Structure formats: structure tokens, C-alpha cells
Amino acid sequence: MYIGVDDTDSVKGMCTTYLATEIIKEFSELDLIGNPRLVRLNPNVPWKTRGNGAVSLRFGKGIGKPKIIGQIDGKDIKCYETGIGAKPTTEHFKRACQLVDKLAYFDDEKTNPGLILTHEKPSQKLYWQAVRYVVEKKPHLKTANPKFHKGWKNGRGLIGSISATAWRPRDSTYEIIAYREEKKWGKPRKIDTASVQKMDKSIKTTFNNYDYEEKHMAIMPSSPCPILFGIRGDIENDLHKVKDIVQSEKAARWIIFLTNQGSDDHIIPGSISSLEPFTSVKVWGTVTSSPKIIEGGHLIFQISNGKKTVDCTIYEPAKKFRWIGEKLLPGDVISVYGGVREEPFTINVEKLFVEKLASVSEKVANPMCNSCKKRMKSIGKNQGYRCAVCGKKASEEKAEFSVIKRKLKTGWYEPPVGSRRHLAKPLKRN
Ligand code: ATP
């Protein structure tokens, strides 16, 4: 039995992953098969609350030896690598619905929960559509045809709950999420910064933990949700170690999720000539305009594939990544990864690869008059030069030029830890 759920939270509280821990508690008579899954979907959907995350869990009769993947209220939580899925019943469905009724943040008009229970895993094409495009609920639901489903309010959460359940990892990572004691929800979190830095430096397979330049603890959310911290990594066993290093207020529960975070699954290899708003693309082009900073501190430059040109924007929150963008010059050949924004039409740059740097020269001296051995004087802008002694003329290109030493190198560039998208593959994972 797969249970998929989405869109139960609000910026004012709750978290769908917390609901996943409550589902684990509720269905404790069954075995968990595989880690619970936290699946991020298209980061460009206009109605997402934060990171467009949905969850999916599988229950049944486990086979083999279970592993510990968490703790809830002092009790170890285990899951089995494989097993035989249970058949969902009306009773299971009723219990799952009651949990959504109890915990979803219904007061927020943007919260539109969706829940499915199914024995059959939906087709993986439903995941690929939802991670890359904007999809509609009706055809998605029809294709998945789950045994039981319920949508609350406009029921949009069904898209996420189906798509998360449909995910078959092509690339995957883990996230250990620690949750706060309920009495502390909404109050400032206590996490020791030095211990986070120590963890970041010692557990090398983790990523997106701490931004040393901005002094930002990326593992700690800023909203009043139940999460204390979330630490991402490639190796599940390493995530067991992080809880002993990070010093914080008491965690009431923790769970290790399997995720598609850091996978670049949302990126569609594309062309500047065929950009679709609300998708994320990888496009290749030549820089055609010198980058400039606009109001709000955002950096804009243009790239072209010879036929079409598009604006690329590095937004202010990307901080020092803008300064890297500012070093680009017309003629540089780059690949840009990012979300296509409809209004203003631009690519919101997530990371970039500098393939080739243009060779750019600057004028260092006026031409020399061969007869008088004196430097000529400029006649006027783009009008050439004249020798002040003998009156001999020279064109603009006769000036002396030298090749500029570029401040940029070829290779990869990405924003700092705090402003990366959940799905963006950090360079550390390349
Ligand atoms: P989280 O806070 O858990 O990181 P979120 O709160 O930002 O995620 P949701 O509250 O889940 O996001 O809201 C996103 C909504 O968009 C959900 O209803 C989900 O079903 C829907 N959705 C997700 N992907 C798509 C898509 N590709 N096309 C259309 N709707 C989508």
C-alpha cells in the first residue's frame, strides 16, 4: 500500500513531512517498506507554498532485516528494503483521511490537501511530468487511478501525492529531518552554529549545510513549522552520525527520507529558441550584452544562440553569485541552468557553466607617428588619430591594444548554499 500526501502545510505552520511521521505512527501495525520519500516537484509552479515538496510512504509485510531510519517519541522507526505491499482498505483510507483532517493547515487559502492510497505504483511518467511541467489534476488523477483518493478544498494536492508516489529514482539523496517538541513550535530555534560548521566539515557526504560568507545556517528553516533542522547527504549511514555532532534543543522525533533533492531532475535540456514559461532548462548560448545590475540588486545579461536572444537574471538573494555573473563579457560561451519566468520573460539562473572565454582587448596607447616618434592625438570619438607635429593621420585600429586578463575562469559556478533550489544538483555532487 502506497500512501501519498501533499499540500497540507502553510507558511504559517505545519509541514507535510511531519504528517508523514504521523502516518508512520498511525500505521504501526504494518511494516514500512523503503524509506519514506520526500519528493520535490516543479519549482516554478505559481501556487507552491515553499519548496513544492510532497511525500509518499509504502506499507506492507517487510522481507529481510529492517534498518533503523528514525525515532518518534523515543521509539525506533525501522523500514525494510523490500516487502509485499498491503492492499489498501476503506478502513486504512478512513484513518489516513482523519490524520489530514486533524493536521492540515486548512485556514490558509493556498492549502489544498490531497491524499491517495493505492496498491499499484502510478506510472513514472506522472512524476516526470510534474517535476518538469505544470500539470492538471484531472488527467493526472485519471491516469494514476488510485484505489482511494481525496482532495480537500480545490484538491490540488492530489497532483503532488500522485507524482511523489510515481517517483522511481534515477538519482537520489537522503535528508534527515529532526522535529521540535510541539510546545516549541513557532518559537526561536536553538542550534549551535559551531557544531553545524563542525558537522559540515567532518561529514563530507552532506551538502547545503552552512553558508560561511553569509553566516547562514541553511539546515534550519525560518518558518514556524515543526522542523528543527534538515540535513542532506548522499550516504544514509553518514546522516545517522550528524545528530551526534549537531548541538541543538531536543528533537522530539527524526526520520531519514529518501529524496530527489539535488538531482537536477527538473532540468530539461533545451534551446533558447523554444523556451516554455514555468519549466526549468539547460540552454547554451553566447553572451551578447555586458551584465548590468538593475533596481533591487538583480543582475541581468543576455545570451543568444545565433537565432534568438534571451535575458538571464541572477536575483539578489543569490548574493555573491551575482558578482561572478558580472564578470561575464560579450562573446563568452556558457550553459545556463534555470527556471523560465513568464513575466518578465527571463531565465532565473540556478547555476552556469562557462565553456569558453572571449578574448577581449583594450586600448593601452594611441598610435605612434612613425616619422615624429610621438604618440598621435585623438581627433574625436571613432574618428581616428592625428600627429600634432606633422599632421599625419591614422585610423582607430592603429592604436595599441593588449588582451585583457580575464577575472573569470572556465568551469562551473553556483549560488551560495542558502539560495539554491532543492532540486538543483550542487556542484559538490558532480
Ligand atoms: P513544502 O512546503 O512542503 O516544501 P510547498 O508547500 O511549497 O511544499 P505545496 O504546499 O505542496 O508546496 O503546494 C504545491 C501545490 O502544487 C500542491 O497542491 C501540488 O499538488 C501542486 N503541484 C505540484 N507540482 C505541480 C505541477 N507540476 N503542476 C501543477 N501543480 C503542481
Side-chain angles (χ1 to χ4, degrees), residues 291 299 301 314 320-328 352 408:
L299 178 103
F301 58 92
I314 304 181
K320 73 164 193 242
F321 186 43
R322 286 170 306 162
W323 313 127
I324 290 152
E326 211 177 19
K327 294 185 180 90
L328 290 169
L352 57 87
L408 203 62

Side-chain angles (χ1 to χ4, degrees), residues 54-78:
V55 302
S56 168
L57 307 101
R58 188 176 183 215
F59 292 96
K61 179 86 200 95
I63 298 173
K65 205 169 158 270
K67 61 178 179 185
I68 293 176
I69 54 149
Q71 202 174 70
I72 299 180
D73 305 331
K75 188 170 168 275
D76 282 346
I77 302 298
K78 295 177 184 165

Side-chain angles (χ1 to χ4, degrees), residues 150-221:
K150 181 166 177 181
W152 284 256
K153 293 159 76 182
N154 76 18
R156 195 186 277 138
L158 281 166
I159 296 174
S161 42
I162 291 167
S163 311
T165 308
W167 177 48
R168 277 105 171 142
R170 178 185 70 170
D171 182 17
S172 59
T173 59
Y174 294 91
E175 177 163 352
I176 178 168
I177 303 186
Y179 298 88
R180 315 183 73 191
E181 294 174 288
E182 198 168 340
K183 62 181 186 217
K184 299 217 173 107
W185 294 2
K187 298 195 179 125
R189 292 170 174 84
K190 286 199 187 104
I191 304 180
D192 176 62
T193 307
S195 71
V196 174
Q197 292 171 347
K198 186 174 166 202
M199 179 279 295
D200 178 56
K201 287 176 183 150
S202 55
I203 313 287
K204 302 268 187 240
T205 56
T206 60
F207 56 89
N208 293 359
N209 296 319
Y210 190 80
D211 183 341
Y212 292 88
E213 223 153 280
E214 297 295 324
K215 298 188 174 33
H216 172 70
M217 217 190 279
I219 65 163
M220 182 175 84

Side-chain angles (χ1 to χ4, degrees), residues 6-9 15-16 40-42 45 47-54 110 112 129-136 156-161 422:
D6 190 20
D7 211 344
T8 63
D9 55 11
C15 172
T16 305
R40 302 283 177 180
L41 299 166
N42 185 349
V45 296
W47 40 81
K48 65 172 185 173
T49 316
R50 284 180 296 247
N52 202 4
K110 281 178 86 181
N112 297 288
Q129 282 168 355
V131 79
R132 293 186 164 182
Y133 300 94
V134 175
V135 299
E136 286 189 38
R156 195 186 277 138
L158 281 166
I159 296 174
S161 42
H422 297 292

Side-chain angles (χ1 to χ4, degrees), residues 357-377:
L357 288 169
S359 169
V360 182
S361 307
E362 64 179 354
K363 195 187 98 177
V364 287
N366 288 357
M368 185 71 88
C369 174
N370 288 339
S371 321
C372 311
K373 305 291 176 225
K374 287 235 164 0
R375 293 270 170 208
M376 294 178 160
K377 294 254 178 318

